[in-house]
Amino acid sequence: MSEPGPPPLTPAVFHILLALFGRERHGYDIMQQVKADSGDTVKMGPGTLYGSLDRMIEAGLVAKGDTQDPRRIYYRLTALGQTTLRAESERLSRVALVARRELKKGATL
């Protein structure tokens, strides 16, 4: 039996990591990107966003970027954040593959 990996990410954390992949963003920009990426299915207000960002900074997944303007703080992925995003994406792909296979079997019953 293989070693269990880290626990699955919450949808909010996954979408924040995804929104930060490849570029720094400020809070409102992150919320807009999450809305677009999720097809408006992940609702994220400021409390959820900034609470999640604080926990993600503490966990080493995200770091503050450009802080020259205190009204608009930018955030960026760390190397650990990128690794975590890739691992969760792979986990979700495996789960979706199993689900499709099982649903296909169920359709033939």
Side-chain angles (χ1 to χ4, degrees):
M1 193 159 129
S2 65
E3 290 290 317
L9 300 178
T10 65
V13 169
F14 178 78
H15 280 283
I16 292 168
L17 291 174
L18 186 58
L20 292 172
F21 187 77
R23 67 183 283 198
E24 290 188 3
R25 293 181 188 271
H26 57 82
Y28 182 74
D29 192 21
I30 294 170
M31 285 192 291
Q32 293 302 108
Q33 190 63 48
V34 168
K35 182 178 179 178
D37 289 346
S38 72
D40 205 17
T41 61
V42 176
K43 306 293 182 195
M44 186 175 301
T48 299
L49 174 66
Y50 291 108
S52 294
L53 283 169
D54 287 343
R55 288 186 295 279
M56 294 164 75
I57 288 169
E58 191 173 303
L61 302 173
V62 172
K64 288 184 179 178
D66 179 11
T67 56
Q68 292 180 3
D69 181 352
R71 296 169 297 165
R72 186 170 280 183
I73 298 170
Y74 284 77
Y75 300 90
R76 62 176 173 77
L77 281 186
T78 62
L80 179 59
Q82 289 182 24
T83 300
T84 301
L85 176 61
R86 290 181 200 286
E88 182 69 356
S89 296
E90 288 299 317
R91 186 192 71 78
L92 290 171
S93 292
R94 287 190 304 274
V95 169
L97 182 65
V98 169
R100 282 192 297 274
R101 184 175 58 229
E102 292 301 314
L103 290 169
K104 188 175 184 179
K105 276 196 252 179
T108 61
L109 295 178

